[in-house]
């Protein structure tokens, strides 16, 4: 009788150990599955930041004076490699730092990135209006999801051809999403216009109008 009890006890303990091993294995698999997306995201962010740093370094002005730069306002960007950044946008308040491609690039689309709109004029030009658009929401391509946090006079930086353009937010207004957006701005000022869908709506979009405060070489 004692032997049978011992055998039964061993069987029960073995079964419990098997359950324990399976449970530990499931937990480990769950942890791995949870870590992989974080690891992938961190690698993508690291690669993006490296590409931005390379752009800033490669376009930085070393021996060109500001007066020489201003005299060459019509910079030809037609030969820029399609897969290289044309400019970089940085919004410190919402921790956004993103490269933007040229109009001719297949990657210049809100499906992939912050999009440079064809109505844009580059910030080195007089009375320019640089227009950028990106998704709002919770997806990985919702680069403008936190724009709503910006308040009047918050700053947005544009890095372009060796110059850092510092814009300050002037106003925000909403329009219907009907495919036709009118930008209300001071046409005598250099402008940055950011466009995204209005939060918690399906048929409205928000426009953020910023004016150039100053510029400096980088």
């Amino acid at each position: 009788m004692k032997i049978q009890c011992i055998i039964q006890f061993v069987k029960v303990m073995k079964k419990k150990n098997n359950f324990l091993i399976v449970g530990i294995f499931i937990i480990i698999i769950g942890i791995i599955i949870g870590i992989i997306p974080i690891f992938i995201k961190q690698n993508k962010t690291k690669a993006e930041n490296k590409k931005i740093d390379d752009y800033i370094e490669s376009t930085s002005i070393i021996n060109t004076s500001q007066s020489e730069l201003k005299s060459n306002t019509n910079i030809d960007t037609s030969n820029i490699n399609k897969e290289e950044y044309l400019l970089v946008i940085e919004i410190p308040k919402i921790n956004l730092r993103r490269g933007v491609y040229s109009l001719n690039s297949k990657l210049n689309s809100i499906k992939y990135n912050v999009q440079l709109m064809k109505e844009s004029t580059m910030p080195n030009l007089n009375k320019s209006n640089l227009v950028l658009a990106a998704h709002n929401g919770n997806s990985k391509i919702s680069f403008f999801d936190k724009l709503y946090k910006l308040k009047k006079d918050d700053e947005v930086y544009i890095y372009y051809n060796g110059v850092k353009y510092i814009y300050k937010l002037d106003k925000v207004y909403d329009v219907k999403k009907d495919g036709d957006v009118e930008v209300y701005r001071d046409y005598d000022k250099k402008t940055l216009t950011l466009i995204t869908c209005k939060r918690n709506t399906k048929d409205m979009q928000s426009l953020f109008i910023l004016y150039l405060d100053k510029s400096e070489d980088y």
Side-chain angles (χ1 to χ4, degrees):
M1 191 71 174
K2 287 184 179 180
I3 294 175
Q4 288 179 344
C5 288
I6 292 172
I7 292 173
Q8 179 132 11
F9 176 77
V10 170
K11 286 182 179 179
V12 170
M13 291 305 295
K14 186 176 181 181
K15 191 173 182 181
K16 284 185 177 181
N17 286 337
N18 287 339
F19 278 128
L20 182 61
I21 291 170
V22 171
I24 292 172
F25 181 75
I26 291 173
I27 291 172
I28 291 172
I29 294 297
I31 292 173
I32 292 173
I33 292 173
I35 287 175
I36 287 175
I38 296 173
F39 180 75
I40 292 173
K41 184 177 180 181
Q42 287 177 340
N43 276 351
K44 284 184 177 180
T45 301
K46 185 177 180 180
E48 170 73 12
N49 286 332
K50 174 66 167 57
K51 195 170 181 180
I52 288 172
D53 290 338
D54 288 345
Y55 167 86
I56 291 175
E57 182 178 354
S58 66
T59 59
S60 63
I61 296 174
I62 299 175
N63 295 317
T64 304
S65 68
Q66 187 68 20
S67 59
E68 288 174 328
L69 178 70
K70 288 180 179 177
S71 66
N72 185 24
T73 55
N74 294 305
I75 297 175
D76 181 11
T77 60
S78 60
N79 293 322
I80 292 178
N81 186 323
K82 290 194 302 180
E83 306 310 318
E84 295 299 324
Y85 293 143
L86 175 66
L87 57 89
V88 167
I89 179 172
E90 181 178 8
I91 310 179
K93 185 170 183 177
I94 62 173
N95 197 29
L96 175 68
R97 191 169 179 252
R98 193 77 188 170
V100 178
Y101 295 93
S102 66
L103 288 173
N104 295 326
S105 173
K106 64 184 179 181
L107 296 175
N108 183 46
S109 168
I110 60 173
K111 293 186 292 184
Y112 309 114
N113 202 45
V114 175
Q115 182 176 349
L116 173 68
M117 307 304 291
K118 60 183 177 61
E119 297 81 6
S120 294
T121 47
M122 294 298 103
N124 59 308
L125 299 177
N126 192 31
K127 301 179 181 180
S128 62
N129 183 22
L130 180 64
V131 185
L132 303 175
H135 279 303
N136 193 355
N138 299 316
S139 73
K140 63 181 181 181
I141 56 172
S142 300
F143 299 110
F144 282 177
D145 63 320
K146 292 183 174 62
L147 277 189
Y148 71 93
K149 293 184 176 181
L150 296 184
K151 305 298 181 185
K152 187 174 174 61
D153 291 331
D154 281 343
E155 293 183 341
V156 175
Y157 308 148
I158 296 293
Y159 298 85
Y160 175 67
N161 278 0
V163 180
K164 178 181 178 181
Y165 297 89
I166 302 172
Y167 295 85
K168 286 190 175 183
L169 180 63
D170 181 73
K171 63 184 175 182
V172 182
Y173 63 91
D174 302 324
V175 296
K176 283 190 176 182
K177 191 192 298 182
D178 56 9
D180 187 17
V181 178
E182 187 166 354
V183 178
Y184 300 104
R185 71 182 184 97
D186 185 339
Y187 285 85
D188 290 326
K189 296 180 178 180
K190 289 190 176 185
T191 309
L192 171 64
T193 302
L194 306 179
I195 304 174
T196 192
C197 295
K198 184 178 180 181
R199 296 178 71 221
N200 304 317
T201 68
K202 294 182 178 180
D203 60 347
M204 299 292 289
Q205 51 192 352
S206 298
L207 278 76
F208 295 73
I209 306 298
L210 304 97
Y211 294 123
L212 184 68
D213 180 54
K214 59 183 177 180
S215 60
E216 56 192 34
D217 296 347
Y218 61 78

